[in-house]
């Protein structure tokens, strides 16, 4: 049993922290909205801290699941001085590699471990404890934290040094952007051609076109239902981070940059909270104009 603090109880953090309790870890939570933290405690039986500093003071492991770089930076500045020596800070936020490297150095200077550990699998993966976690940091710190993260993961991989987890999550989002756009265009084409979408997917999903997005999203995409996962607003944030990194390292991401602008169109349609499969909606919307 580990003593843990979990900061950030959004659609991902709320169930992730619950899985820690289910695995008999001692968990204290903090959330910007205290009411959400109290709801979590009522559901899972852990403790609620009034401040981030209170949450982390006795913790062996501190987990963050926040929104963006500024959120992580603001909380890290408060909690790193309050953490005990030998504790580990694990950041599950999808954030920049530059921030991960900076936090690794700051933590190391005060005797605290740090792992950047963004996740993939969406809300369903968090709720079912089936997330894929891509990590960056020191091997010994990773080995110490890995058994605790197993509470909500199906796969955990140490990619390399600090920042490598975040860079890998960028690869993940770059790949998803292209796949979802291709699936949207394929389904739109099938519809315009008067084909039976179910028969089409039944045929092509047995071959090279198969993907997780196809298997899990084609029906809701055809039905215009976009309340099944990771929001467009968050995908644009992630693509912004990837495109910023690409400008620094020289990578060329023409498809990701184009799809990012397509997601901007979805936002303009009022779809900021629609899931990422909503790319098909802009194609249908173009038909109606």
């Amino acid at each position: 049993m580990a003593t843990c603090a979990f900061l950030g109880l959004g659609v991902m953090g709320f169930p992730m922290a619950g899985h820690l309790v289910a695995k008999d870890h001692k968990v204290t939570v903090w959330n910007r909205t205290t009411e959400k933290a109290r709801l979590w405690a009522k559901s899972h039986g852990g403790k609620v801290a009034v401040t981030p500093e209170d949450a982390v003071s006795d913790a062996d492991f501190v987990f963050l699941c926040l929104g963006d770089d500024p959120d992580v930076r603001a909380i890290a500045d408060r909690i790193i001085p309050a953490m005990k020596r030998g504790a580990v800070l694990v950041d599950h936020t999808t954030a920049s590699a530059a921030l991960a490297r900076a936090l690794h150095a700051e933590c190391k200077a005060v005797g605290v471990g740090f792992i950047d550990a963004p996740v993939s699998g969406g809300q369903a993966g968090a709720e079912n404890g089936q997330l894929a976690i891509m990590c960056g940091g020191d091997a010994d710190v990773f080995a110490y934290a890995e058994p605790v993260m197993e509470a909500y993961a199906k796969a955990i991989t140490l990619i390399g040094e600090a920042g490598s987890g975040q860079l890998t999550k960028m690869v993940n989002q770059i790949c998803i952007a292209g796949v979802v756009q291709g699936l949207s265009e394929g389904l739109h084409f099938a519809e315009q051609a008067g084909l039976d979408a179910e028969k089409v997917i039944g045929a092509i999903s047995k071959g090279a076109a198969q993907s997780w997005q196809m298997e899990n999203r084609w029906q809701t995409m055809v039905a215009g239902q976009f309340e099944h996962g990771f929001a467009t607003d968050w995908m644009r944030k992630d693509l912004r981070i990837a495109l910023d990194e690409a400008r620094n390292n020289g990578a060329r991401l023409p498809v990701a940059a184009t799809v990012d602008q397509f997601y901007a169109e979805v936002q303009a349609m009022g779809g900021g909270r629609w899931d990422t499969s909503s790319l098909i909606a802009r194609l249908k919307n173009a038909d109606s104009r």
Side-chain angles (χ1 to χ4, degrees):
M1 182 179 73
T3 301
C4 303
F6 205 105
L7 283 60
L9 300 174
V11 295
M12 302 292 286
F14 195 105
M16 291 165 70
H19 285 301
L20 289 172
V21 174
K23 293 296 183 179
D24 297 323
H25 298 299
K26 181 181 177 182
V27 182
T28 299
V29 300
W30 176 86
N31 193 66
R32 184 175 54 184
T33 305
T34 304
E35 183 179 344
K36 188 75 170 289
R38 289 175 179 158
L39 177 62
W40 180 90
K42 184 177 180 180
S43 300
H44 298 287
K47 293 174 57 180
V48 174
V50 176
T51 68
E53 293 89 341
D54 290 339
V56 308
S57 59
D58 295 322
D60 301 312
F61 298 92
V62 176
F63 300 95
L64 303 182
C65 197
L66 305 172
D68 203 344
D69 278 31
D71 307 301
V72 176
R73 180 78 268 177
I75 294 299
D77 286 346
R78 294 176 63 177
I79 65 172
I80 291 174
M83 291 175 64
K84 63 184 184 182
R85 292 178 64 88
V88 176
L89 176 59
V90 178
D91 185 16
H92 287 309
T93 311
T94 297
S96 70
L99 178 60
R101 296 184 193 106
L103 293 178
H104 175 266
E106 292 167 26
C107 285
K108 199 161 193 174
V110 295
V112 170
F114 177 81
I115 299 290
D116 54 290
V119 303
S120 182
Q123 184 175 349
E127 292 172 349
N128 297 325
Q130 294 291 296
L131 293 170
I133 308 179
M134 47 217 88
C135 300
D138 300 328
D140 57 336
V141 177
F142 171 79
Y144 182 43
E146 182 182 17
V148 184
M149 290 189 284
E150 286 175 350
Y152 41 77
K154 67 177 179 180
I156 310 173
T157 307
L158 178 64
I159 305 297
E161 63 186 15
S164 297
Q166 296 294 358
L167 291 170
T168 303
K169 180 62 182 285
M170 294 175 208
V171 175
N172 187 79
Q173 302 305 73
I174 292 164
C175 293
I176 289 173
V179 169
V180 177
Q181 178 61 21
L183 179 58
S184 297
E185 292 182 16
L187 290 171
H188 176 64
F189 179 92
E191 184 176 44
Q192 293 296 105
L195 300 176
D196 182 317
E198 184 171 5
K199 289 182 179 179
V200 170
I201 295 299
I204 70 173
S205 65
K206 305 302 187 292
Q210 192 276 341
S211 68
W212 185 96
Q213 299 290 339
M214 180 179 289
E215 292 290 337
N216 291 276
R217 291 287 178 264
W218 80 264
Q219 289 177 305
T220 53
M221 290 170 74
V222 169
Q225 299 170 353
F226 308 121
E227 299 176 356
H228 300 88
F230 194 63
T232 290
D233 286 343
W234 291 116
M235 184 60 157
R236 286 214 72 204
K237 182 267 291 187
D238 290 359
L239 288 175
R240 184 202 78 222
I241 291 171
L243 292 166
D244 285 346
E245 186 67 34
R247 281 187 279 272
N248 292 329
N249 67 21
R252 296 184 297 276
L253 305 180
V255 173
T258 301
V259 174
D260 176 57
Q261 292 308 300
F262 290 164
Y263 277 123
E265 292 181 30
V266 174
Q267 288 176 317
M269 292 167 57
R273 301 307 300 169
W274 294 348
D275 70 59
T276 53
S277 69
S278 60
L279 282 173
I280 195 172
R282 63 172 289 278
L283 299 174
K284 294 183 177 183
N285 186 61
D287 286 342
S288 68
R289 292 199 293 266

